Amino acid sequence: MLESAVGKITGKHRASDVLTVQRIVNCRDDLRKPLPKLTEDGVYGTNTQAAIDHIQKQILTNPDGRIDPFGVSIKRMWPLAYANPTGKAIRKSDHYGEGHFGASRGRRTHDGTDYVAIAGQHVKAPISGKVVKISRPYASGVDAHILSGVHIVASDGTQCWVWYMQPAANIVGKVVKAGDNIGIAKTLKNRYKKGITDHVHVRIHGRFGKKINPSTVIK
């Protein structure tokens, strides 16, 4: 979620990191109050620092006035959590295979989990974190520009890709909780003519790239 520290540090505060901290602070009314909400402008100042100090006194034994990437503060301010992106079951067998993690894909295996979806339904964030970019599974072909998705990074560095949806407007840079709406599911039937179950694909990797079976963490 953060590329560099925010708070009592030496050096320049990155605007994107300051903005992320400001957005988290504003979402955590339980930790922020009675302080007012911060202006979400990416500018580090006395109000942002006061909020960091106020919150750290509640969550740390030894507050240091700074929020570090992958540190205890950011993990406690925006803890990792998981949610089913469609509220439906894992895709079963169809003409193009099965949707569980590790399912056969010919010379490779499926590196994520497919959750059955109805085209047009809301898609929920499978993990809590920050939406860092739009992710596109296909570079070309039928509906390549429609079957899009997002890349989310959690406070501990866990990464998640969610595909086959239309991302919500202005979603990049937003801080999301697991279960928040992040877009609208799209049909795959135009691309896969022989018959496929519409679904949302979820891929999860640990901070250092280890593949995680989504069904072991999404309950």
Side-chain angles (χ1 to χ4, degrees):
M1 296 183 76
L2 299 180
E3 295 184 52
S4 59
V6 175
K8 294 177 180 177
I9 59 174
T10 300
K12 184 178 180 180
H13 290 83
R14 293 173 59 94
S16 60
D17 291 326
V18 175
L19 180 58
T20 297
V21 169
Q22 291 170 337
R23 286 175 170 169
I24 291 174
V25 168
N26 287 345
C27 288
R28 291 300 307 265
D29 286 347
D30 57 324
L31 296 176
R32 173 185 51 79
K33 290 183 176 180
L35 296 181
K37 285 194 173 184
L38 298 173
T39 300
E40 296 180 5
D41 56 7
V43 177
Y44 172 74
T46 56
N47 290 340
T48 298
Q49 186 59 56
I52 291 172
D53 293 338
H54 176 70
I55 289 175
Q56 279 197 334
K57 289 177 181 177
Q58 302 172 67
I59 63 176
L60 295 182
T61 303
N62 298 303
D64 58 7
R66 56 185 283 164
I67 310 296
D68 292 300
F70 317 116
V72 175
S73 289
I74 192 69
K75 291 177 184 178
R76 291 184 179 175
M77 289 171 67
W78 208 250
L80 176 62
Y82 297 92
N84 185 312
T86 66
K88 304 184 187 304
I90 295 171
R91 169 188 161 215
K92 297 186 182 300
S93 180
D94 57 33
H95 188 84
Y96 294 93
E98 299 181 351
H100 63 269
F101 181 83
S104 175
R105 291 294 186 270
R107 295 183 178 181
R108 61 182 181 87
T109 57
H110 194 219
D111 63 354
T113 298
D114 296 337
Y115 292 87
V116 174
I118 298 173
Q121 78 166 90
H122 287 293
V123 177
K124 312 292 186 179
I127 69 170
S128 53
K130 176 183 176 180
V131 179
V132 296
K133 64 176 67 174
I134 299 298
S135 178
R136 302 186 186 280
Y138 304 118
S140 61
V142 177
D143 280 358
H145 63 296
I146 292 176
L147 298 172
S148 188
V150 295
H151 180 188
I152 303 171
V153 179
S155 56
D156 70 343
T158 298
Q159 300 189 70
C160 177
W161 293 263
V162 193
W163 290 340
Y164 311 145
M165 52 173 274
Q166 176 184 328
N170 303 313
I171 192 70
V172 175
K174 294 292 180 65
V175 172
V176 296
K177 294 180 181 178
D180 282 352
N181 289 335
I182 57 172
I184 301 295
K186 306 298 288 186
T187 186
L188 287 146
K189 292 183 170 66
N190 296 322
R191 187 178 182 94
Y192 296 95
K193 301 291 187 180
K194 294 181 180 179
I196 193 169
T197 305
D198 280 337
H199 61 272
V200 167
H201 175 86
V202 176
R203 184 174 71 182
I204 301 176
H205 288 181
R207 176 182 171 188
F208 300 107
K210 181 180 179 180
K211 294 181 180 180
I212 297 171
N213 179 349
S215 67
T216 63
V217 290
I218 297 175
K219 304 298 184 182

